[in-house]
Amino acid sequence: MMHTLADSETPFLAAIPTGARDLNEFRFKLADALQSSLDLHEVLANFFQTMRGVIRCSGMEYRLPTKTLHLALGTRRAHSAHYTLRRGDLAVGEMTFFRGSKFSDQELGSLEALLALLMLPLRNALLYRDALESSMRDSLTGVGNRTALEVTLQRELKLSLRHRRPMSLLIADVDNFKQMNDRLGHAMGDRLLLLAVSLIKGALRETDQVFRYGGDEFVVVLGNTGGEEAAAVAERIRRAAADCVLPEGTGAAGITLSIGVGTSTPEDSRDSLFKRADEALYKAKSAGRNQVVRQD
C-alpha cells in the first residue's frame, strides 16, 4: 500500500484512536519527543516508540535514496503501508510500516496524522545532518572521521540499550602499512588507503558505517548486530582484501587486513566496547596478521 504525503496535507487528528488518553496530551507528547533532538536516528526512533503507543506496528523502515540513508527499527511482517514524504519541494524520505495484519482505513488516517507531525522535525534533522557531514568527513577517503565515529558510537549504544539488541564494532588495520608507505611513498600509500576503504565498503551491508580512526586504522559500526554476524562481516572484508589483485605499477605484492571484533553487552560503555575490539585486533596482528579475531 503506497501513499504520498506532503506537508500541505493536514489529516484529521481526530482519526487517532486515543482511548483513555487525551488527544491534546498525546499530540504534545509526540511533538516534545520529536523536538528533543536534531539527530536523525533519534528523531525516527522517538517517533517509532511514541507512535506504537497509538497504532499496533511491528516495524518501521526509513529511506532517503538520494543520500543512501536507511534505518530499520523493529521487525518486518507480511503487511505494510508505504509513504513518500515531501515538505514543499524537498523530498524528506520514504517511510514503511509493518505488521502481521492489514492496516484499517482508520489506522492509515492515524498514521498520516502522525506523519504530519513528523515532517518539520524530520526536515530539520536532515538539514542538521548535512551541516555536520561537511565537518565529519575524512578529507582523503571520504568516510566518516574520528569525530563522526564518536557521535555514531554514542547513538548506536543508546539504541542498543533502548531496544535491547547488541551492536558490534570492527577495528581493521592495514597490515604492514608503515613499511609499504615508507618504501613506496606517501602518494602510493594514499592509493592503498583508498583501496582499503573501497574493499571494506564493498563488503558491508547497507546499514553498516565505516570511519577512518587514524592512519591506516578503520572502524566499522554494525548496529543491531550480534557477535557471530559481526564476525561473518569481518571475514567477508578480510577475504575481499586478501583476494584483491593490485594494479600493475603499485610496487606492492598485495594488501591484507587484520580485524578485531567486539560486541556490546548491556553493561558496556563506549570505552569498554572499543577496548574489547581493540584487544581483539592486537591478537589478530600478534597471531600473524590477515585474520579476524572476535572477543566477547
Side-chain angles (χ1 to χ4, degrees):
M1 194 177 301
M2 302 182 67
H3 311 269
T4 298
L5 188 65
D7 63 340
S8 58
E9 300 176 37
T10 54
F12 292 105
L13 286 169
I16 299 178
T18 58
R21 298 182 181 210
D22 177 76
L23 176 59
N24 287 329
E25 180 183 342
F26 178 80
R27 291 177 62 187
F28 286 131
K29 178 182 178 182
L30 178 58
D32 183 62
L34 294 177
Q35 294 172 17
S36 64
S37 174
L38 280 172
D39 181 87
L40 179 63
H41 289 69
E42 287 193 13
V43 167
L44 291 169
N46 287 339
F47 175 80
F48 181 58
Q49 185 176 19
T50 307
M51 178 270 296
R52 292 178 77 186
V54 174
I55 301 169
R56 187 167 54 85
C57 183
S58 65
M60 181 185 88
E61 287 190 4
Y62 170 79
R63 292 177 183 271
L64 184 56
T66 56
K67 296 184 180 295
T68 63
L69 286 173
H70 177 221
L71 176 69
L73 297 170
T75 308
R76 277 176 168 255
R77 290 289 185 263
H79 293 274
S80 65
H82 180 83
Y83 291 88
T84 299
L85 309 178
R86 301 193 65 85
R87 182 168 176 82
D89 294 331
L90 179 67
V92 293
E94 300 173 2
M95 198 82 79
T96 307
F97 302 92
F98 299 95
R99 75 178 194 186
S101 59
K102 188 177 180 180
F103 290 94
S104 69
D105 289 342
Q106 183 184 38
E107 287 171 321
L108 292 176
S110 298
L111 274 176
E112 291 168 14
L114 299 180
L115 286 170
L117 293 175
L118 174 65
M119 288 287 201
L120 182 58
L122 181 57
R123 172 186 173 275
N124 290 342
L126 288 170
L127 292 175
Y128 178 69
R129 181 181 180 279
D130 287 345
L132 282 180
E133 274 201 339
S134 62
S135 63
M136 290 192 172
R137 289 287 166 191
D138 177 60
S139 58
L140 172 65
T141 63
V143 299
N145 60 19
R146 195 163 179 167
T147 301
L149 170 63
E150 296 303 328
V151 171
T152 301
L153 269 179
Q154 296 297 340
R155 180 187 67 232
E156 291 296 334
L157 275 172
K158 286 181 182 178
L159 289 173
S160 175
L161 288 172
R162 180 183 300 169
H163 298 288
R164 298 180 181 179
R165 293 184 176 181
M167 62 162 290
S168 294
L169 282 186
L170 312 181
I171 303 182
D173 191 275
V174 180
D175 294 328
N176 302 310
F177 178 76
K178 185 179 185 303
Q179 293 91 320
M180 289 191 291
N181 194 52
D182 290 344
R183 179 168 58 87
L184 302 174
H186 293 296
M188 188 58 66
D190 287 349
R191 287 181 62 185
L192 291 176
L193 290 177
L194 287 168
L195 174 61
V197 168
S198 177
L199 292 168
I200 291 171
K201 291 173 70 175
L204 295 181
R205 304 163 302 183
E206 185 178 2
T207 55
D208 301 332
Q209 301 172 79
V210 58
F211 304 86
R212 186 182 182 191
Y213 189 67
D216 61 318
E217 197 166 79
F218 300 90
V219 177
V220 178
V221 178
L222 308 174
N224 193 22
T225 304
E228 289 187 10
E229 191 177 3
V233 173
E235 178 58 25
R236 192 160 62 241
I237 294 170
R238 186 206 66 78
R239 192 165 54 247
D243 293 344
C244 178
V245 178
L246 297 184
E248 291 186 12
T250 59
I255 182 173
T256 61
L257 300 174
S258 297
I259 306 174
V261 182
T263 300
S264 68
T265 67
E267 295 76 31
D268 264 320
S269 65
R270 175 266 183 219
D271 291 341
S272 61
L273 175 59
F274 198 94
K275 180 181 179 183
R276 198 156 58 251
D278 199 40
E279 289 173 348
L281 171 64
Y282 178 79
K283 290 179 180 179
K285 296 186 80 67
S286 298
R289 301 182 176 88
N290 188 27
Q291 56 188 281
V292 172
V293 171
R294 171 183 163 194
Q295 183 154 312
D296 294 325

